[in-house]
Amino acid sequence: MLPISLAIAFSLSLFLLLLLGYLGVPLWAWSLYTAGILAVFQAPTWLWIGFGIVALVLNLPLLRRSLLTVPLMNAIQVLKLLPSISETEKAAIEAGTVWVDGEFFSGAPDLNRMSSEPYPELSTESQAFLDGPVEQVCRMATDWEINRRKDLPPEVWHYLKQERFFGMMIPQEYGGLGFSNLAYSAVMVKLASRSFIHTATVGVTNSLGPAKLLLNYGTPEQKDYYLPRLAKGEEMPCFALTEPTAGSDAASITSEGIVFRGGDEKLYLLLNFRKRYITLGAIATLIGLAFRLRDPENLLGKGENVGITCALIPADTPGLVLGKRHDPMGVPFYNSPVEGQNVVVSIDQIIGGSEQAGQGWKMLMQSLAAGRGISFPASCTGIAKLVTRVTSAHAVVRRQFGLSIGRFEGVEEPLARIAGLTYLMEAARIYTCAAVDNGEKPAVVSAIAKYQFTELSRKLVNDGMDILGGSGICKGPRNLLANVYTAMPIPITVEGANILTRTLMIFGQGAIRCHPYIYQEVTALNEGDAIAFDHALWHHIGLMVRNTIRSMLLSLSRGALAQSPVSGPTAQYYRKLAWASATFATLTDIALIAFGGSLKRREKLTGRFADVLSWMYLGMATLRRFEAEGRNPEDLPLVHWSMQYAFAQIQLAFEGLFANLSIPILGPVFRGPILWWSRLNPIGTLPTDELGGTLAQAVEMPEGVRDRLTTNIYVPSHPDEALGRLEQAFQLSIQAEVILKTIKAAIRDGKLPPAKPEKLIDAALEAGVITATEATLIREAESARNEAIQVDAFSLEEYQQGAQLTAWPTKELMHHA
């Protein structure tokens, strides 16, 4: 056995080692620590000499660079331990800004900063627009009518233009509404709760399109001419990027423009292109076009291959071929091929003028960096809120075996998932919008939002269809989810297919751009800058040591060692986020070292890393919402469910990483004791059945949680409309349930014969168990319930001819509304 004094010294040295590692002290502090250890344990002279040499080399940058860093740079280049970055990748990486996503890659996230990020409310002006024009346009046509017409009705098109829906993001000085991203997002939420066609139509004109590119890069002349016309709807824009051979790999576009000098001595572009999947393309009057620009005579002074360029092409330009439509899943928004054969336009049609020639890829990446995080999350949140509203009402109204189906645990499970994820999605929507409005262009967060929101809304719509059963699959004016269900593959696919977004963009771009040192190292390596590389490398090594020790200690303590910016029931989740971040950052560095540049081809691994990063972000947004909304105790079950679900997804991803990191020596350790320990001591497990039941019951009650979850969506009051009818039946059913319980009690007491309470209304009235008013209410509830559960049926002729079937005339609906 060791002497007591030696045991104490050893314990203290180990404690200091872990403490210094957890805190992440600089290199000189480690040198002092090592010197102290040598002194305490009375190290021999030769060991002191060796330590002195090593400490001198490590702590003197000039020696360190020449003796260690430069040889390491050469070895890294030979072994390709860091990923190479092409020019297009570099443009994508540099397009956005690093926001809170960088905190997670640090391994020690600043939770105070993240929990203090803006979480704004809508302005009075924006709320008025929601309650006025947006409400009105939703009244004007049902989703069923729009789908049967295969288009928005003419009066809706006129109203959208009249109220500047196509110019929401254009500043007021150009005739637009000048909305913030949050306000625009709120409009999209409400439109999505009415019809996917609204969001597809309005979204393109306000997100990725000529207007946004003109605002950011256009010349004063281009802005003054086009922006007022776009704001008023006098020009209908589209943006043509995707080609048959350039989908997810948009940088490989083959569309070509050639610069030439005309007979009038002015410069022109000769364009040939073939585009597809272009929303609004068939009816566009102004086409934004991405193409590769060549300048054989170097007329622009930028060489022959100028690069990807964006230009504006009026639809009446000779050689432009428009007018055809794709049919995406039968969802009738305009989506079209756009072709051009020997199209000639002035060089002035390049967005930003000739000076911006070759800057198109940068333009697109910078626009997408923010855009993906706004439009899709808004539309998907609107869908989630609609599903919440519909399924919670249906679960009460629909009865089987004498009970509302919401009482059955099999229905409670998906209903809880719908409620919890809707709360989470709304939180992340506002959190992301606030960042963009604050000047951020969070490319990685936008990719997370695009991927996760579209996947989660697909999950929720599937859950909703399961709860509705036959009511969900019989299409007609009464059906509220079938058209949404049909449309769900569309947002999954467009603006970066989800498989690519998950496996390449979220983690692939994030690991380089958001990591504290990787991008600095890659840049310095490519530029041969030994000083910059030395600085980044040794700080990176220190970061790895710190995160490894943090990960170990936080795992041993189940996150208890981490600090939380708040107290109370949610503090545990902040600590778990710190724990997850430390593990994530440690594994990221291990994977980067082990696989180097080949990591981006190991998409099963990068996909799991992306899942961890995504759910940490969604979890943080959920916690921020709870704090921003005043820590409402009624919302606490929603927070608990959402956070537990998020950590369960993180745990699942970690287990996948541990089981599949095929690294020499470390691989068996990950697959063995670490995987075992991870399952024994998990970061998260799925929410309990009891918690899910609490959520389901809460959302089945009027007002309260249900109304807060579905705020600012379109809820018609007219009982002839599907959702209005369902809402009426829901409210009456809730009121009648109290009276039915009185009748059930009378049956148990022998005052009434055994039978279904609904069959004993007259007997209960005669026995004085209920009043005449209460009897009337039960009958009204039963009538409304019976009407709400009916499904549509058509004559053979109507069905075969595809007659324009609507629930009521539009004018009548508007009158009643």
Side-chain angles (χ1 to χ4, degrees):
M1 296 181 60
L2 289 173
I4 294 177
S5 59
L6 192 59
I8 293 174
F10 178 79
S11 299
L12 285 174
S13 64
L14 179 60
F15 172 78
L16 281 174
L17 172 72
L18 296 175
L19 178 63
L20 294 177
Y22 188 85
L23 296 175
V25 298
L27 188 57
W28 62 263
W30 282 112
S31 300
L32 289 178
Y33 166 78
T34 306
I37 295 297
L38 292 177
V40 168
F41 289 97
Q42 300 178 359
T45 304
W46 65 265
L47 196 55
W48 275 103
I49 294 172
F51 162 72
I53 294 172
V54 172
L56 196 65
V57 170
L58 291 177
N59 285 280
L60 291 179
L62 188 61
L63 280 176
R64 187 178 63 216
R65 282 198 301 272
S66 59
L67 296 177
L68 295 177
T69 303
V70 172
L72 275 173
M73 287 180 68
N74 296 331
I76 288 170
Q77 289 176 319
V78 172
L79 298 175
K80 297 181 179 179
L81 294 181
L82 286 177
S84 59
I85 302 176
S86 67
E87 285 301 315
T88 52
E89 288 176 320
K90 183 177 180 181
I93 289 169
E94 294 180 346
T97 58
V98 178
W99 182 44
V100 297
D101 38 351
E103 298 287 351
F104 293 121
F105 278 94
S106 75
D110 185 345
L111 297 173
N112 282 292
R113 173 219 169 172
M114 298 166 79
S115 62
S116 301
E117 287 288 327
Y119 195 90
E121 296 180 351
L122 287 173
S123 66
T124 303
E125 178 188 16
S126 302
Q127 189 64 55
F129 190 78
L130 280 179
D131 297 338
V134 183
E135 182 80 8
Q136 176 64 15
V137 81
C138 288
R139 289 193 193 115
M140 294 175 71
T142 69
D143 185 50
W144 171 251
E145 179 185 359
I146 294 169
N147 275 271
R148 297 296 281 182
R149 285 176 174 272
K150 301 293 184 184
D151 194 2
L152 295 171
E155 61 268 25
V156 173
W157 276 107
H158 175 75
Y159 191 78
L160 290 172
K161 293 177 181 180
Q162 172 188 306
E163 297 299 323
R164 313 293 172 93
F165 276 81
F166 300 138
M168 284 188 283
M169 303 296 288
I170 295 175
Q172 294 180 359
E173 63 187 281
Y174 294 110
L177 297 179
F179 276 0
S180 66
N181 285 280
L182 179 64
Y184 162 65
S185 173
V187 172
M188 292 290 282
V189 167
K190 190 161 188 173
L191 291 176
S193 72
R194 183 51 153 171
S195 176
F196 181 84
I197 317 306
H198 280 308
T199 58
T201 303
V202 173
V204 166
T205 58
N206 286 281
S207 57
L208 177 61
K212 176 168 282 191
L213 293 174
L214 282 168
L215 280 169
N216 291 331
Y217 311 104
T219 65
E221 294 78 15
Q222 289 172 338
K223 292 178 180 180
D224 290 341
Y225 178 76
Y226 284 114
L227 289 178
R229 297 172 62 82
L230 289 166
K232 297 174 186 176
E234 294 174 0
E235 297 278 8
M236 184 57 57
C238 72
F239 194 85
L241 174 61
T242 306
E243 300 176 0
T245 58
S248 297
D249 183 16
S252 66
I253 59 176
T254 59
S255 298
E256 185 178 69
I258 299 176
V259 182
F260 71 95
R261 191 180 299 278
D264 56 3
E265 294 301 311
K266 295 181 180 180
L267 298 182
Y268 293 88
L269 300 174
L270 176 65
L271 299 163
N272 283 279
F273 53 90
R274 187 182 180 191
K275 303 287 187 176
R276 65 179 183 181
Y277 309 152
I278 311 306
T279 301
L280 299 181
I283 60 170
T285 62
L286 183 66
I287 292 87
L289 180 71
F291 57 94
R292 289 194 176 278
L293 181 61
R294 290 180 55 237
D295 185 4
E297 300 177 50
N298 197 24
L299 298 172
L300 300 178
K302 296 187 176 186
E304 180 177 351
N305 295 307
V306 181
I308 295 175
T309 301
C310 296
L312 298 174
I313 317 298
D316 58 1
T317 305
L320 201 59
V321 181
L322 303 173
K324 290 186 177 181
R325 295 180 67 171
H326 299 304
D327 185 8
M329 300 294 293
V331 181
F333 68 100
Y334 284 97
N335 190 262
S336 323
V338 175
E339 297 182 21
Q341 300 172 6
N342 296 324
V343 175
V344 176
V345 295
S346 168
I347 197 79
D348 294 332
Q349 292 302 112
I350 292 176
I351 296 176
S354 58
E355 291 183 2
Q356 291 292 335
Q359 298 300 308
W361 186 243
K362 180 181 178 181
M363 291 181 183
L364 294 172
M365 290 301 99
Q366 288 180 342
S367 297
L368 283 170
R372 280 196 186 100
I374 306 299
S375 292
F376 281 115
S379 300
C380 292
T381 302
I383 289 169
K385 290 185 177 186
L386 173 66
V387 172
T388 301
R389 196 83 186 183
V390 170
T391 54
S392 58
H394 182 84
V396 170
V397 171
R398 179 65 169 160
R399 297 173 70 92
Q400 291 289 278
F401 307 104
L403 293 171
S404 293
I405 63 170
R407 300 284 185 86
F408 296 97
E409 290 191 359
V411 173
E412 277 189 352
E413 186 176 6
L415 194 56
R417 191 159 51 236
I418 290 168
L421 292 178
T422 299
Y423 182 86
L424 175 146
M425 290 169 70
E426 174 74 345
R429 177 186 73 85
I430 297 177
Y431 196 53
T432 308
C433 284
V436 178
D437 279 330
N438 206 36
E440 298 287 350
K441 294 182 179 179
V444 174
V445 165
S446 291
I448 289 172
K450 192 276 175 184
Y451 170 72
Q452 288 291 349
F453 275 78
T454 54
E455 291 292 344
L456 291 176
S457 60
R458 174 161 64 175
K459 184 189 295 291
L460 297 192
V461 171
N462 283 340
D463 281 338
M465 292 291 285
D466 288 348
I467 292 173
L468 263 60
S471 298
I473 64 173
C474 291
K475 295 186 74 172
R478 290 173 174 268
N479 194 310
L480 289 163
L481 295 187
N483 288 333
V484 177
Y485 175 83
T486 304
M488 285 318 299
I490 297 170
I492 295 289
T493 302
V494 299
E495 282 197 31
N498 275 12
I499 290 177
L500 167 82
T501 303
R502 173 177 177 260
T503 59
L504 290 180
M505 294 181 61
I506 295 175
F507 181 73
Q509 187 171 348
I512 296 175
R513 186 69 175 93
C514 301
H515 189 285
Y517 300 111
I518 288 292
Y519 192 52
Q520 296 177 38
E521 291 168 341
V522 172
T523 303
L525 197 66
N526 291 338
E527 295 175 356
D529 188 339
I531 295 176
F533 186 80
D534 178 84
H535 177 272
L537 175 66
W538 294 98
H539 280 81
H540 188 174
I541 292 172
L543 183 78
M544 291 173 60
V545 172
R546 185 198 69 179
N547 287 339
T548 301
I549 293 176
R550 279 180 60 86
S551 177
M552 180 180 67
L553 293 180
L554 289 172
S555 180
L556 287 169
S557 67
R558 296 181 62 81
L561 289 177
Q563 292 184 328
S564 169
V566 304
S567 58
T570 59
Q572 58 177 316
Y573 301 128
Y574 286 94
R575 295 189 180 100
K576 280 195 173 185
L577 278 175
W579 175 11
S581 172
T583 305
F584 170 76
T586 301
L587 291 178
T588 294
D589 280 322
I590 289 172
L592 286 167
I593 292 172
F595 302 116
S598 69
L599 178 60
K600 60 184 177 183
R601 295 194 295 274
R602 296 177 180 266
E603 296 177 17
K604 295 173 186 177
L605 291 179
T606 59
R608 294 185 180 101
F609 276 114
D611 292 342
V612 177
L613 180 60
S614 296
W615 284 102
M616 286 193 293
Y617 176 72
L618 295 175
M620 186 65 241
T622 301
L623 294 173
R624 182 69 185 97
R625 175 182 182 178
F626 182 65
E627 294 298 320
E629 294 181 350
R631 301 168 68 92
N632 189 333
E634 292 184 6
D635 289 344
L636 199 52
L638 290 164
V639 177
H640 284 313
W641 192 97
S642 299
M643 294 306 300
Q644 290 172 26
Y645 186 87
F647 282 117
Q649 308 314 304
I650 292 172
Q651 176 67 27
L652 182 64
F654 275 145
E655 289 189 13
L657 288 170
F658 293 143
N660 292 281
L661 278 169
S662 53
I663 302 172
I665 302 175
L666 284 179
V669 177
F670 283 127
R671 292 190 294 274
I674 292 182
L675 180 56
W676 171 82
W677 172 255
S678 175
R679 290 173 177 169
L680 181 68
N681 183 36
I683 277 181
T685 56
L686 284 169
T688 63
D689 294 343
E690 182 181 2
L691 179 58
T694 300
L695 255 65
Q697 292 166 23
V699 82
E700 290 178 86
M701 296 300 296
E703 303 177 343
V705 168
R706 183 172 186 260
D707 281 353
R708 286 197 300 279
L709 281 177
T710 59
T711 184
N712 281 331
I713 65 168
Y714 179 67
V715 182
S717 58
H718 197 290
D720 285 341
E721 186 171 351
L723 185 53
R725 183 186 305 118
L726 182 59
E727 283 287 312
Q728 182 187 62
F730 169 73
Q731 296 291 341
L732 288 171
S733 296
I734 293 292
Q735 296 172 39
E737 185 63 27
V738 178
I739 307 169
L740 291 172
K741 286 180 178 178
T742 302
I743 297 176
K744 289 178 182 178
I747 295 172
R748 288 194 301 270
D749 295 341
K751 296 179 182 179
L752 293 173
K756 290 185 176 181
E758 298 87 349
K759 303 294 184 182
L760 297 174
I761 299 174
D762 291 334
L765 181 60
E766 186 176 343
V769 174
I770 60 174
T771 66
T773 301
E774 290 173 329
T776 299
L777 178 59
I778 295 176
R779 290 190 179 99
E780 288 179 355
E782 287 304 303
S783 175
R785 185 195 303 271
N786 184 62
E787 180 63 22
I789 65 173
Q790 302 304 313
V791 298
D792 297 287
F794 310 109
S795 70
L796 295 179
E797 291 76 16
E798 288 173 333
Y799 187 78
Q800 290 170 349
Q801 294 173 7
Q804 299 295 314
L805 301 173
T806 56
W808 63 86
T810 301
K811 290 182 180 179
E812 179 185 343
L813 169 62
M814 292 175 63
H815 172 74
H816 284 288

